[in-house]
Amino acid sequence: MSVAAVFLAALVTALATGLGALPLLLGRRIEGWLGLGTAVAAGFMAGASVGLFWEGAGSSAGRTILGAVLGALFIIATRGALGHHRHLEFGALRGADALGALMIVGVMTLHSFTEGIGVGVSFGDGAALGALIATAIAVHNIPEGLAISLVLVPRGVSVRRAGAWSVFSSLPQPLMAVPAFLLVEWFEPVLPVGLGFAGGAMIWMVGAQLVPDALRTASPASVAGALGAAAAAMIGLQLVLLG
């Protein structure tokens, strides 16, 4: 397996994330379901974090837990630092909307580092396994792109820009896949820490950012229903792809 082929496979997984924005092209009055859209995004992230913890624990439960704690602490510290900037901007967004958008794109970008390592390590074990994992991650990235778009588009970001930010969040995948492929023995032990880190960051975002945001414009029952359905769908998808 050549380095160029590994990079190309990981690049395809990154580009697949942009497909998650496409369903929002059908929305006519998407600003009217801001709360439900945020709840669905929270569900996708919660479901993804379950998969991350499960996969990491399969290699090392201790390192996964350590990564989860570090991930949550990192996001808490980052949000605290950014929260002091009252005039924070993220594209056309300002203030709290900008902070929320920046945090979800940032969290998903961190998550992509572990996915890139996973692709590279998998190719290090053989072309067939690498192709399977890359395909699974590409499909898995589509609802992750949708999660990002569900947060950005109702707040005024265009679908095209939301798709572009979704792809941007996955660019670490091809960047990390190549070194992980070349240095499998070094990257494999740190993978559980990375998986836990991404999962911890996601769980914190769900509980402290996305759910409170959703509850501002939607009822608790509808938020719980949308979150639960999205989480179940994401977990089911992961079981089908990687089970």
Side-chain angles (χ1 to χ4, degrees):
M1 193 72 184
S2 69
V3 169
V6 172
F7 179 84
L8 181 59
L11 180 61
V12 170
T13 69
L15 294 176
T17 315
L19 298 176
L22 295 181
L24 300 190
L25 290 172
L26 304 176
R28 296 296 182 184
R29 301 175 65 179
I30 193 169
E31 67 278 359
W33 48 282
L34 174 61
L36 287 181
T38 303
V40 171
F44 283 144
M45 292 182 68
S49 67
V50 170
L52 291 171
F53 291 142
W54 182 265
E55 185 178 351
S59 299
S60 172
R63 277 176 281 169
T64 302
I65 293 172
L66 172 63
V69 173
L70 293 175
L73 291 176
F74 176 80
I75 297 301
I76 291 170
T78 301
R79 189 175 186 277
L82 293 175
H84 294 302
H85 297 279
R86 296 183 179 180
H87 303 293
L88 185 67
E89 298 182 3
F90 184 83
L93 303 181
R94 304 288 184 273
D97 283 344
L99 177 60
L102 181 60
M103 291 302 296
I104 190 171
V105 172
V107 166
M108 300 305 270
T109 302
L110 288 171
H111 168 43
S112 292
F113 278 93
T114 61
E115 290 185 328
I117 293 173
V119 171
V121 169
S122 298
F123 274 110
D125 288 337
L129 177 62
L132 174 64
I133 297 301
T135 301
I137 290 178
V139 176
H140 175 266
N141 279 351
I142 296 174
E144 290 185 355
L146 177 58
I148 293 174
S149 299
L150 285 170
V151 172
L152 297 183
V153 175
R155 289 170 171 80
V157 177
S158 69
V159 174
R160 180 178 61 83
R161 287 185 178 274
W165 278 115
S166 298
V167 173
F168 172 84
S169 74
S170 290
L171 290 182
Q173 291 172 18
L175 297 179
M176 294 305 298
V178 171
F181 170 66
L182 296 174
L183 302 168
V184 171
E185 292 184 358
W186 190 90
F187 276 92
E188 200 164 20
V190 303
L191 185 56
V193 179
L195 292 169
F197 189 97
M202 283 187 178
I203 287 295
W204 189 93
M205 277 293 296
V206 168
Q209 178 84 41
L210 295 180
V211 170
D213 284 351
L215 289 172
R216 291 191 182 99
T217 55
S219 68
S222 60
V223 168
L227 190 153
M234 179 62 90
I235 292 171
L237 177 63
Q238 292 175 110
L239 289 174
V240 170
L241 295 175
L242 301 172

